[in-house]
Amino acid sequence: MTYDIVTIDGDGIGPEVNQSAIEVLREACGSALLNFMPFDGGAGHYVKTGHVLPDETLNACRNAHAMLHGAAGLPGVTYADGTEVGNDLHLQLRFKLDLFANVRPIRLYQGVKSTLADWSAGQIDYVIVRENTEGLYASRGAGVNLRNELVTDTLVMTRLGVERVAKFAFDLSRRRNGAPRDHQRRVTVCDKANILKTYAFFRAVCTEVAQSYADVEIDYAYADAITVHMLKKPDFYDVIVAENMFGDIISDLGAATVGGLGMAASAELGLNHGLFQGAHGSAPDIAGQDVASPIATILSGALMLRWLGDRHHDATLSQAADRVEKAVEDVLAHGDAVPHDQGGHARCTEVTQAVCRRLR
Ligand code: IPM
Ligand code: MN
């Protein structure tokens, strides 16, 4: 079987890191298994054509097996309401393809220095599951602006939206080996249930879902408190489930504890579609210099292989995912090529070649 993968390079460092991941995935799977189909999208495309996500790209995404994306967004390319155009590529894909679970692994790899003192590889290994289609983001483009005096964005939660992301989080915990500290399968519900009824609703629905997962412990943390716990006891966490905006914020904090956004992979999953991209931005200041780290996008490619392998019961892909992750681990652990964001001088192409060498 051949898998059609729509690739969208995007803006800034997007093309470099996306092409790096494609080279690694080809090395891991051979050129017959994955059919990469490049399509346009992003702020640069918007400047040229007025479309951040052209119809032909969206239609190709609807029909493909998966999507692999570099990064999107250029400074100064904004809509009249002040919001960024580039981000609309992700947001339109999330809402139009209903990618309701934004899966963000937070894992400290051998060879990567944590900003947290005294934590070593294996001790920080959890996943943030960010609800990706509602919450405060439901107001994107729908907020109110009265006479430029009163502006509102509404926080929206639905029972369907909370139930399905909570079930995703509990099911994910069942597929893992528990928190590093105690190997306890645990889902931590991150909210502000003490203050807002929307978050009290989020917590209540997650608690209802937990009734069907007696083998998985449910844990609760307010969004402010969890930022302290993520720094003081990162080994306590297995899976954290959070509303859209909170998930956006704590996933960057989590990434910062395991080497930074250059290490931050993401899988944005719906029932029928998967978008895989580094959780970083387009870093226009270093674009085109071959200095960006491709690790986040390569690890996102591994998440894509694993997701496709599970969906299509294709062991070849699942094994390829394991090999790509192992190759990245070995490159970092042995210092074959240390990316700039990890204190090294390896170029994007050199990191890519080092991962491909490990795969061979
Ligand atoms: C992320 C980014 C996006 C978000 C932007 C690019 C739309 O910050 O994926 O974390 O705000 O969700
Ligand atoms: Mn973000």
Side-chain angles (χ1 to χ4, degrees), residues 87 90-91 94 102 104 130 137 248 251-252 268 277 279:
N87 298 172
H90 309 127
L91 295 167
R94 291 173 184 175
N102 196 330
R104 300 190 153 182
R130 167 187 174 184
Y137 279 62
D248 177 52
S251 55
D252 276 19
E268 306 194 30
Q277 61 172 321

Side-chain angles (χ1 to χ4, degrees), residues 224-240:
D224 48 350
I226 208 169
T227 63
V228 177
H229 301 326
M230 284 164 69
L231 306 186
K232 306 285 277 185
K233 56 172 190 174
D235 60 331
F236 176 76
Y237 293 109
D238 173 24
V239 176
I240 301 174

